[in-house]
């Protein structure tokens, strides 16, 4: 909210300086955002008079002027090229050393074509105040030389901008701000009373209202025989100062009252209306062009004002181009109405339309002001444009805005933290316009003024459906009473000064602070750290992808389709970060970087099924996924070839992350039912038990790589971080570090080709749990030297004694147990 100091003083009788006013505004909760002095750049400029203007002896288009610049200056000679420079003209003079804003230069004394020049005679354009540049500015003949031009032109008027919280619609008016400052003791609020303009004829235009839910009360009157044109300088200067462009007297008047009283108005050109009636109604899908030239389609939820030809105004937000006033307007219909704040806000948000009127209506305007505002605007229109006014016509009824609120004096200190005497609290409320209804030693009951829509307003409670009616009613009444009391306490406190409230620290939640990160956040950070340590580069991708790209990685349910995407190719929520990673691999390969290792820890979206591993109910769900892709070849090292990446690289990445996240990697199983975006014979599903799926890994399906110019292998993995159980909090025991050397033994088993390596490892691990500390697969052979339908699996078994070194006989005994266990579980035979 912007306003000038002189505008404020129209409503506030005060001698306080700008600094004192700003300080008081900050203490009462109307935070000052900026103070601009438009006259600061014009301080050196002064009024002057040309004593004599003669032709330059050496230039046809220049004149040599002797200038009276007032006290402190002897007559100054100035060379001027303006065609209107003449003897006796009152002008604007800039002495040497003055910065000229319109020219972005600083003038100096010097000589022009042999004649000295000790300053400059300026146009308004050179001062940055307008576009006129056909000559120097001409001031009134009675202008005295030597005055500050900023003061002479009324440009030394500081502009103050404050931040207004959404509940303070009354502070979006200069009078509302003046009322607050007067209540805080910074001057007195000047009385304001609108002069009644009696109607001299019946209005040819009447009102009809078929949408009272959105507009309970609407008024208007016709003004004929007027002449529209530029508004007076004082009005134009005020509007320019707050950032508004003067348009015409009629429009400027409505803008003036929007900021002066916080009361938006609208004028229709009556000669451009069709029929003899304006109707407040619902929209019906009509196309409508606003005053700023935008074409909109109104819906049945929008409140509009229409004539016989259709919609002419988006009620409470913006008028229409078809009935807007012009320089040729001679008859207008002036509208003043009350609109429902919620409906105004919803319409403005849906249509993306913002205006000063909407800004005020959606925060609440003074519900008792329409009649007085209509009279005040009528008087100003007649004073500035002439004309005659009709009788006032209306539709609907004034709303019952009267409300009461109570305050217990003891609650001021209890809730506000500062002890304020009861008399001071009551005086503060009275100064703000609250009227005392009843008072006793314990508290006071007040009538809320019409302009304070934020105090004691009805509340919306989300009460349980099973709550008994009597109990629900009592709870609602109690909540409303407490809420309105808090409103009054806030008013009393801010008038005392928000800076006077002692700061109090929040109570400590406990002796030991809670963890800063949730387990979910810890898992994500751990996964990032581990995968980065394995040489993978982190990426961050959009959660939105194209439907075609998402379909390559699973189902694309309608529940995950975006109805209003930010781009046409970002219309689906991604099922997995692999969608973005594969696109990144493709882009890098096209630019000559095919050997990549990328990962992302981010959301994936899916339709949960009953009984899914996540335990989610049917519907759109989101899960945290750590996904990675490797493409091309692994990095080269001395003595080691750059081998193509394989599914074992992806498995190693996945298991390294799972181990760091505390998953029981030794107890995890692998099944071959990976999703369709993996190669069906070179992939796996990581499971913890038969139902919990921790992730997938494997080679990306060749069908996904077809047509992408990826002629090198691509492998990847996905880990579902939400499926990993939080580690159990156990008391840590000292590490068990046996002093005896471990023993490794290698075994090669012949098994059927459909036997998984995991089953062989599990059987060997369970052969002797006391001594077998680790089992690892180191070889897989399938060749023509083996019997048909069989393969060879080579495993390494680590034996770790804890009490004494093992003898050869003990080692052989354990080896026999391993062979027997694997043979029994997998039908394996020891390979010779």
């Amino acid at each position: 909210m912007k306003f000038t100091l002189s505008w404020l003083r129209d409503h506030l009788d005060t001698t306080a300086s700008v600094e004192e006013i700003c300080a008081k505004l900050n203490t009462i909760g109307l935070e000052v955002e900026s103070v601009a002095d438009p006259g600061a750049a014009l301080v050196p400029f002064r009024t002057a008079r040309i004593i004599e203007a003669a032709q330059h002896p050496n230039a046809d288009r220049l004149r040599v002027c002797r200038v009276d610049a007032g006290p402190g200056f002897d007559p100054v000679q100035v060379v001027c090229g303006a065609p209107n420079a003449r003897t006796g003209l009152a002008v604007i003079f800039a002495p040497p050393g003055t910065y000229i804003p319109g020219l972005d230069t600083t003038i100096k004394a010097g000589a022009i074509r042999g004649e000295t020049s000790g300053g400059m005679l300026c146009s308004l354009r050179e001062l940055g105040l307008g576009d006129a540049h056909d000559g120097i500015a001409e001031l009134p003949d009675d202008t005295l030389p030597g005055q500050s031009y900023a003061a002479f032109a009324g440009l030394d008027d500081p502009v103050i901008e404050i931040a207004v919280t959404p509940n303070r619609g009354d502070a979006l008016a200069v009078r509302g701000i003046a009322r607050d400052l007067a209540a805080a003791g910074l001057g007195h609020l000047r009385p304001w009373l609108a002069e009644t303009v009696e109607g001299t004829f019946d209005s040819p235009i009447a009102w009809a209202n078929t949408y009272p839910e959105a507009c309970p009360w609407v008024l208007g009157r016709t003004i004929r025989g007027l002449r529209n044109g530029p508004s007076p300088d004082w009005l134009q200067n005020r509007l320019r100062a707050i950032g508004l462009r003067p348009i015409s007297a009629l429009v400027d008047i409505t803008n003036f009252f929007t900021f002066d009283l916080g009361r938006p108005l609208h004028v229709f050109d009556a000669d451009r209306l069709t029929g003899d009636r304006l109707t407040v109604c619902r929209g019906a899908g009509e196309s409508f062009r606003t005053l700023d030239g935008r074409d909109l389609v109104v819906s049945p939820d929008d409140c509009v004002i229409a004539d016989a030809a259709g919609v002419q105004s988006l009620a409470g937000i913006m008028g229409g181009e078809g009935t807007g006033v012009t320089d040729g307007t001679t008859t207008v219909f002036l509208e003043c109405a009350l609109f429902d704040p919620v409906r105004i806000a919803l319409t403005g948000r849906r249509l993306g339309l913002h205006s000063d009127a909407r800004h005020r209506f959606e925060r609440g305007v003074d519900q008792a002001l329409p009649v007085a505002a209509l009279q005040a605007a009528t008087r100003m229109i007649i004073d500035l444009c002439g004309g005659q006014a009709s009788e006032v016509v209306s539709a609907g009824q004034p709303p019952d805005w009267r409300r009461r609120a109570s305050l217990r004096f003891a609650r001021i200190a209890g809730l506000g933290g500062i002890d304020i005497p009861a008399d001071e609290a009551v005086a503060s409320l009275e100064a703000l316009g609250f009227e005392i209804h009843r008072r006793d030693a314990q508290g006071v009951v007040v009538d809320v003024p019409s302009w304070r829509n934020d105090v004691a307003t009805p509340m919306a409670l989300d009460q349980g459906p099973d709550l008994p009616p009597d109990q629900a009613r009592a709870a609602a009444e109690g909540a409303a009473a407490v809420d309105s009391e808090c409103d009054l306490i806030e008013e009393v406190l801010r008038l005392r000064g928000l800076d006077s409230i002692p700061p109090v620290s929040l109570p400590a939640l406990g002796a030991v602070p809670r963890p800063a990160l949730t387990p979910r956040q810890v898992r994500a950070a751990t996964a990032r750290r581990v995968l980065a340590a394995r040489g993978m580069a982190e990426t961050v991708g959009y959660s939105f992808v194209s439907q075609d790209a998402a379909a390559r990685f699973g189902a694309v349910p309608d529940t995950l389709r975006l109805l209003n995407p930010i781009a046409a190719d970002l219309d689906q929520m991604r099922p997995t970060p692999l969608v973005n990673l594969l696109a990144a691999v493709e882009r890098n390969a096209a630019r000559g970087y095919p050997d990549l290792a990328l990962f992302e820890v981010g959301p994936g979206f899916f339709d949960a099924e009953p009984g899914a591993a996540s335990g989610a109910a049917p519907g759109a769900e989101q899960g945290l996924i750590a996904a990675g892709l490797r493409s091309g070849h692994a990095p080269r090292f001395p003595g080691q070839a750059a081998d193509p990446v394989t599914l074992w690289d992806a498995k190693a990445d996945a298991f390294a992350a799972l181990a760091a996240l505390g998953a029981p990697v030794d107890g995890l199983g692998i099944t071959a039912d990976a999703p369709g975006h993996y190669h069906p014979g070179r992939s796996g599903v990581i499971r913890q038990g038969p139902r919990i799926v921790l992730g997938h890994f494997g080679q990306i399906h060749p069908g996904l790589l077809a047509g992408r110019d990826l002629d090198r292998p691509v492998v990847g993995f996905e880990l579902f971080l939400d499926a990993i159980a939080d580690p159990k909090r156990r008391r840590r025991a000292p590490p068990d570090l046996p002093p005896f050397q471990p023993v490794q033994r290698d075994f090669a088993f012949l098994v059927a080709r459909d036997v998984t390596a995991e089953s062989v490892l599990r059987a060997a691990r369970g052969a002797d749990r006391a001594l077998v500390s680790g089992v690892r697969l180191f070889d897989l052979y399938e060749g023509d030297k083996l019997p048909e339908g069989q393969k060879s699996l080579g495993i390494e078994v680590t034996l770790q004694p804890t009490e004494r070194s093992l003898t050869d006989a003990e080692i052989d005994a354990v080896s026999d147990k391993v062979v027997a266990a694997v043979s029994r579980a997998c039908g394996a035979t020891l390979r010779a």
Side-chain angles (χ1 to χ4, degrees):
M1 171 66 185
K2 289 184 178 181
F3 57 93
T4 65
L5 179 61
S6 64
W7 198 342
L8 177 68
R9 285 178 172 162
D10 283 352
H11 293 280
L12 182 67
D13 183 7
T14 182
T15 58
S17 65
V18 174
E19 292 75 16
E20 292 172 327
I21 290 173
C22 291
K24 182 61 70 173
L25 287 170
N26 284 326
T27 62
I28 63 176
L30 300 177
E31 183 181 359
V32 177
E33 292 194 322
S34 66
V35 179
D37 187 355
L42 305 179
V43 169
F45 297 92
R46 53 198 296 135
T47 60
R49 187 176 300 277
I50 299 177
I51 302 173
E52 180 183 3
Q55 182 66 44
H56 194 293
N58 302 318
D60 294 339
R61 297 186 178 182
L62 298 179
R63 298 181 69 80
V64 179
C65 304
R66 279 199 315 122
V67 177
D68 177 10
F73 285 83
D74 294 329
V76 182
Q77 179 169 295
V78 179
V79 177
C80 179
N84 61 331
R86 61 184 182 272
T87 300
L89 181 65
V91 294
I92 304 172
F93 171 69
T98 300
Y99 174 74
I100 309 298
L103 301 178
D104 191 23
T105 187
T106 300
I107 63 171
K108 300 178 182 179
I112 300 176
R113 295 287 186 93
E115 294 291 333
T116 60
S117 181
M120 180 177 179
L121 304 182
C122 303
S123 67
L124 293 180
R125 182 183 184 185
E126 289 160 343
L127 270 64
L129 299 178
D131 297 328
H133 59 283
D134 54 350
I136 56 178
E138 299 186 13
L139 304 183
D141 292 339
D142 58 352
T143 302
L144 296 177
Q147 302 177 71
S148 165
Y149 176 71
F152 170 81
L155 299 175
D156 57 344
D157 196 4
V159 179
I160 303 171
E161 182 175 8
I162 63 172
V164 179
T165 53
N167 65 310
R168 290 298 308 278
D170 64 301
L172 293 172
V174 178
R175 184 162 184 83
I177 298 168
R179 183 186 296 111
D180 267 19
L181 289 171
L186 204 68
H188 301 280
L189 185 66
R190 297 182 188 272
W192 181 86
L193 183 64
E195 178 185 349
T196 300
V197 179
E198 299 293 342
T200 58
F201 60 96
D202 293 335
S203 175
I205 300 171
W207 280 114
N209 188 356
T210 62
Y211 197 5
E213 301 88 351
C215 178
W217 192 29
V218 59
L219 302 93
R221 71 191 318 177
T222 302
I223 305 174
R224 67 188 181 189
L226 55 81
R227 183 176 62 256
N228 195 18
S231 56
D233 290 341
W234 70 266
L235 182 51
Q236 292 192 36
N237 290 338
R238 285 197 171 172
L239 297 181
R240 285 196 187 99
I242 62 175
L244 295 182
R245 178 175 61 89
I247 298 174
S248 67
L250 290 171
V251 177
D252 294 350
I253 289 170
T254 62
N255 286 336
F256 170 80
F257 282 104
T258 297
F259 284 84
D260 187 65
L261 300 178
R263 177 63 254 184
L265 304 164
H266 183 64
V267 283
F268 297 91
D269 187 327
D271 294 331
R272 302 173 72 181
L273 291 171
T274 303
D276 60 356
R277 185 177 299 274
L278 283 175
T279 303
V280 181
C281 58
R282 294 177 180 268
E286 305 101 319
S287 178
F288 161 69
R289 174 165 289 186
T290 61
L291 282 171
D292 59 358
R294 280 186 276 185
D295 290 322
L296 305 174
V297 177
V298 296
S299 74
D301 292 329
D302 301 326
C303 181
V304 300
I305 298 176
D307 64 3
V311 177
Q312 301 300 338
S313 175
L314 191 61
I317 299 179
M318 189 173 292
E321 184 180 80
T323 56
V325 296
T326 65
D327 290 343
T329 297
T330 59
T331 305
V332 297
F333 186 77
L334 178 61
E335 168 252 310
C336 181
L338 293 176
F339 298 106
D340 177 64
V342 174
R343 288 180 171 86
I344 292 290
L346 292 176
T347 293
R349 185 179 303 174
R350 186 183 68 82
L351 298 175
L353 202 60
H354 193 277
S355 65
D356 293 321
R358 172 196 165 185
H359 194 68
R360 284 154 178 80
F361 277 124
E362 68 184 5
R363 286 160 174 79
V365 297
D366 187 344
Q367 298 184 66
L369 189 61
V371 172
L374 187 69
Q375 295 289 353
T378 302
R379 170 50 60 197
M380 185 175 288
I381 289 175
I382 292 175
D383 288 346
L384 300 185
C385 303
Q388 294 178 319
S390 74
E391 297 290 344
V392 176
V393 292
S394 65
Q397 296 294 327
D400 185 10
W401 54 266
R402 293 169 179 81
R403 305 179 304 278
R404 282 180 181 165
S406 60
L407 169 64
R408 293 167 290 176
F409 299 131
R411 291 290 292 158
I412 299 177
L415 184 62
I418 182 173
D419 190 10
I420 297 178
D423 289 342
E424 180 182 341
V426 172
S428 296
L429 295 175
E430 287 183 306
L432 287 170
F434 294 86
E435 295 183 1
I436 306 304
H437 174 72
R438 183 178 66 255
R439 178 184 175 181
D440 55 28
Q442 285 72 41
V444 63
V445 178
V446 297
D447 292 322
V448 180
S450 59
W451 54 83
R452 289 307 299 267
N453 293 283
D454 60 317
V455 178
T457 54
M459 300 180 61
L461 293 180
D462 186 13
Q463 295 180 318
D466 299 330
L467 198 64
D470 293 343
Q471 188 175 351
R473 189 182 310 109
E477 293 173 355
V482 171
D483 185 69
S484 61
E485 184 177 53
C486 293
D487 292 335
L488 296 182
I489 292 173
E490 179 183 358
E491 297 303 303
V492 173
L493 291 176
R494 70 183 187 86
L495 285 194
R496 167 63 75 90
L498 297 178
D499 54 348
S500 65
I501 301 175
V504 178
S505 299
L506 292 173
L509 297 179
V512 178
R514 295 181 178 180
L517 299 177
T518 64
R520 176 187 174 95
Q521 293 171 323
V522 171
R523 282 196 293 267
T526 302
R528 289 189 179 94
R529 186 168 59 249
V530 171
L531 296 176
R534 293 183 61 81
M536 306 184 78
E538 184 177 9
T539 68
V540 178
Y542 283 121
S543 294
F544 313 132
V545 297
S546 69
Q547 183 183 3
D548 292 340
R552 296 172 179 265
F553 289 85
V556 283
D558 290 339
T559 54
L560 299 179
R561 186 81 50 81
L562 299 179
L563 298 179
N564 187 23
I566 61 176
D569 58 345
L570 299 175
D571 60 344
Q572 187 77 24
M573 306 300 290
R574 67 182 184 185
T576 169
L578 286 182
V579 182
N580 308 76
L581 293 176
L582 187 59
V585 168
E586 180 182 4
R587 288 193 298 270
N588 280 272
R591 290 160 177 78
Y593 296 95
D595 300 332
L596 293 170
L598 306 176
F599 80 92
E600 180 181 348
V601 179
F605 303 87
F606 54 92
D607 244 6
E609 297 294 338
S614 63
E621 293 289 339
Q622 172 182 337
L624 187 62
I625 300 175
L629 279 185
R630 291 184 183 270
S631 67
H633 293 77
R636 292 185 295 178
F637 295 99
Q640 179 178 339
D643 296 326
V645 294
T646 67
L647 76 155
W648 308 116
D649 296 309
K651 180 182 179 183
D653 292 331
F655 271 77
L658 288 172
L661 293 171
V665 291
D666 290 339
L668 300 181
I670 306 294
T671 58
D673 52 342
H677 51 273
Y678 289 101
H679 191 296
R682 301 174 185 175
S683 59
V685 177
I686 306 171
R687 295 181 180 273
Q688 183 177 359
R691 299 186 60 185
I692 300 178
V693 176
L694 299 185
H696 311 138
F697 70 92
Q699 184 174 329
I700 301 301
H701 197 288
L704 285 181
L705 307 182
R708 294 177 178 263
D709 294 330
L710 295 174
D711 55 354
R712 304 190 181 194
V714 180
V715 299
F717 65 88
E718 301 158 278
L719 297 179
F720 308 119
L721 302 186
D722 295 328
I724 302 173
D726 294 337
K728 296 181 180 180
R729 294 188 176 184
R730 296 177 178 176
R731 193 169 188 177
R732 291 187 177 182
D736 184 12
L737 301 176
F740 305 103
Q741 186 173 359
V743 179
Q744 283 85 26
R745 285 292 182 268
D746 295 343
F747 302 87
F749 291 102
L750 285 175
V751 296
R753 287 193 176 182
D754 58 351
V755 175
T756 63
E758 182 65 29
S759 61
V760 174
L761 296 176
R762 188 181 301 111
R765 191 178 295 114
D768 190 331
R769 297 190 179 277
L771 289 177
V772 176
S773 61
V775 181
R776 183 176 68 87
L777 178 70
F778 70 86
D779 182 58
L780 168 63
Y781 176 71
E782 295 177 337
D784 55 1
K785 297 182 179 180
L786 296 179
E788 183 68 25
Q790 291 192 324
K791 61 183 177 182
S792 173
L793 297 177
I795 66 173
E796 178 189 81
V797 179
T798 300
L799 307 179
Q800 178 61 66
T802 57
E803 299 178 356
R804 56 183 175 80
S805 298
L806 296 177
T807 64
D808 290 343
E810 291 171 332
I811 294 174
D812 291 340
V814 175
S815 299
D816 292 340
K817 289 182 180 180
V818 170
V819 173
V822 174
S823 299
R824 183 170 56 253
C826 305
T829 59
L830 190 63
R831 184 181 175 190

